[in-house]
Amino acid sequence: MYRFHGNGITLTSRIEIFYDHIKINNKVGIQLNFDQLEAFIYIANTGSFSKAGELLFLSQPSISSKIKVLEKELGAPLFERNYSNVYLTEEGETFLAFAQAAVDSIQKGKRSIQKRNELFDGEVVLSIVFSGAGYFLPSRIQAFRDTYPNIKFSVFSGHSDQVLDMVLNQDVSAGIVRSIYHPQIESFCIEEDEMILVYHSDHPLSKLDKPTLEDLANSPLILYKPETKDWKLIQNAFKKVELAPNIVAEIDSIDGAKEMVKNNIGASFLPYFSVKNDLHNGLLHTIKIDGIPKIERDFELIIKKEQTVDDATKLFIDFITN
């Protein structure tokens, strides 16, 4: 694509002239960018600022500005202008070979990366907890497939114990759960999260500046996923002050619990990731209550220890854990 223009002076001589000029006129580090080099090469090839601008979809002032900056960085004039004609200076002739090599190398590297990403194919087989399937995973898969478009996904959702069983039985290559431990499992934290108290603007808690644990016990409460360690921590907080929570509904679905809160049936402790948009939009509200412990429930990617993982899954694990 790019051509080198000579003027009878040997390449060695041109290099010596160029570097002598640089040493005299440039006392600091040279900083160049791809757009400047590309503009310089196109002008050299076409012999015209305007034609180069048309090919690069740039205005003439814009392409002229790039050359001025480039010449300033190099400390040497690159073009001689004679009416409508543009000629390379001796420094420009010398620099052209280096600019061409640099641009060609960058383009070659870009093509190599694109080719590399396109070559990767395969399938990632995952299991994930119900809550993560709807809120957490879609954006991660989309971001991953932007880089590796030929890798497909098979996703199975279930409760934490079901996800764990699928990983242990190697029905899937990896699983995504919320803070789980098993001696045969290796886990990687992929996103921090916590359970928070959320309520409707008309809920009794909204009328209090600093509600207490007793205020919460006297308010309607929706219990999401009974018999979990999250709820046991909350229940113990009530027991310490000899209070019993006013449970008006129990449900094992985050979406179901959230809709109940939105309909002002009661307040609920829900994962932050599932309600952050509702909090931002003012549809739900949250407050911290003294005596309720911080309940961290991070998302973790789990694989079976000493398991052989296929290349596609390795790529996804590296992508999602970094």
Side-chain angles (χ1 to χ4, degrees):
M1 176 179 176
Y2 302 119
R3 301 188 302 275
F4 181 80
H5 297 265
N7 63 357
I9 303 174
T10 66
L11 177 60
T12 302
S13 298
R14 288 199 301 271
I15 291 173
E16 289 173 351
I17 293 168
F18 178 70
Y19 277 117
D20 285 343
H21 198 98
I22 291 297
K23 288 176 184 177
I24 294 169
N25 292 284
N26 198 297
K27 304 299 182 184
V28 296
I30 298 174
Q31 297 181 354
L32 313 178
N33 66 45
F34 180 86
D35 291 343
Q36 293 168 355
L37 297 178
E38 191 174 48
F40 166 67
I41 293 169
Y42 269 78
I43 296 168
N45 284 341
T46 61
S48 167
F49 276 70
S50 59
K51 287 180 182 177
E54 288 175 8
L55 291 171
L56 292 171
F57 300 100
L58 295 171
S59 66
Q60 188 163 334
S62 177
I63 201 166
S64 296
S65 175
K66 292 182 187 300
I67 298 304
K68 285 181 182 178
V69 173
L70 181 59
E71 290 177 328
K72 184 177 179 181
E73 288 290 339
L74 295 174
L78 299 175
F79 294 103
E80 293 178 358
R81 298 158 180 82
N82 183 10
Y83 299 103
S84 60
N85 298 320
V86 176
Y87 303 96
L88 285 167
T89 62
E90 289 184 1
E91 293 90 347
E93 288 278 8
T94 301
F95 184 62
L96 181 59
F98 296 100
Q100 178 178 313
V103 169
D104 287 346
S105 180
I106 291 170
Q107 291 178 333
K108 184 178 179 181
K110 183 178 178 181
R111 287 193 298 269
S112 178
I113 291 173
Q114 289 172 337
K115 185 178 179 181
R116 176 181 179 273
N117 290 343
E118 288 170 0
L119 286 175
F120 281 113
D121 58 9
E123 184 178 29
V124 178
V125 184
L126 290 174
S127 57
I128 185 169
V129 288
F130 286 120
S131 57
Y135 290 96
F136 175 81
L137 190 59
S139 61
R140 271 72 178 181
I141 289 180
Q142 181 59 52
F144 178 77
R145 294 196 75 253
D146 285 344
T147 305
Y148 304 104
N150 294 330
I151 294 181
K152 299 178 181 178
F153 283 78
S154 290
V155 181
F156 302 90
S157 55
H159 295 292
S160 292
D161 56 345
Q162 295 171 319
V163 172
L164 177 61
D165 286 342
M166 283 188 272
V167 172
L168 291 173
N169 295 330
Q170 296 189 8
D171 297 324
V172 296
S173 300
I176 297 176
V177 294
R178 306 201 60 210
S179 301
I180 199 169
Y181 171 78
H182 191 280
Q184 296 180 40
I185 288 298
E186 188 174 359
S187 62
F188 309 87
C189 180
I190 51 181
E191 181 158 318
E192 296 178 350
D193 196 45
E194 64 176 306
M195 303 290 286
I196 63 170
L197 178 67
V198 292
Y199 54 89
H200 188 274
S201 58
D202 292 331
H203 190 275
L205 291 176
S206 65
K207 298 177 176 61
L208 303 173
D209 292 331
K210 193 174 181 180
T212 63
L213 199 56
E214 184 175 0
D215 294 323
L216 181 60
N218 293 327
S219 302
L221 197 62
I222 297 161
L223 176 55
Y224 162 62
K225 292 188 74 173
E227 302 305 320
T228 62
K229 69 176 185 179
D230 301 340
W231 176 241
K232 287 176 182 176
L233 288 171
I234 297 168
Q235 211 169 28
N236 287 339
F238 284 111
K239 285 181 178 179
K240 282 183 181 178
V241 291
E242 298 181 348
L243 293 171
N246 177 23
I247 307 297
V248 297
E250 296 182 358
I251 190 168
D252 66 353
S253 161
I254 288 179
D255 287 333
K258 187 165 69 170
E259 287 304 311
M260 287 186 179
V261 176
K262 285 183 178 180
N263 282 277
N264 200 25
I265 296 172
S268 186
F269 287 91
L270 295 174
Y272 171 73
F273 78 89
S274 68
V275 296
K276 61 182 178 181
N277 289 336
D278 300 288
L279 293 170
H280 178 75
N281 295 327
L283 300 175
L284 294 177
H285 305 273
T286 186
I287 195 168
K288 291 184 179 181
I289 294 180
D290 290 340
I292 297 292
K294 183 176 182 180
I295 305 171
E296 296 179 343
R297 293 286 278 160
D298 301 338
F299 274 107
E300 296 178 349
L301 184 140
I302 60 172
I303 57 174
K304 189 174 182 180
K305 287 182 178 178
E306 300 180 358
Q307 171 186 343
T308 301
V309 180
D310 61 273
D311 289 341
T313 303
K314 282 180 184 176
L315 283 172
F316 182 69
I317 291 173
D318 289 343
F319 182 87
I320 203 169
T321 55
N322 292 316

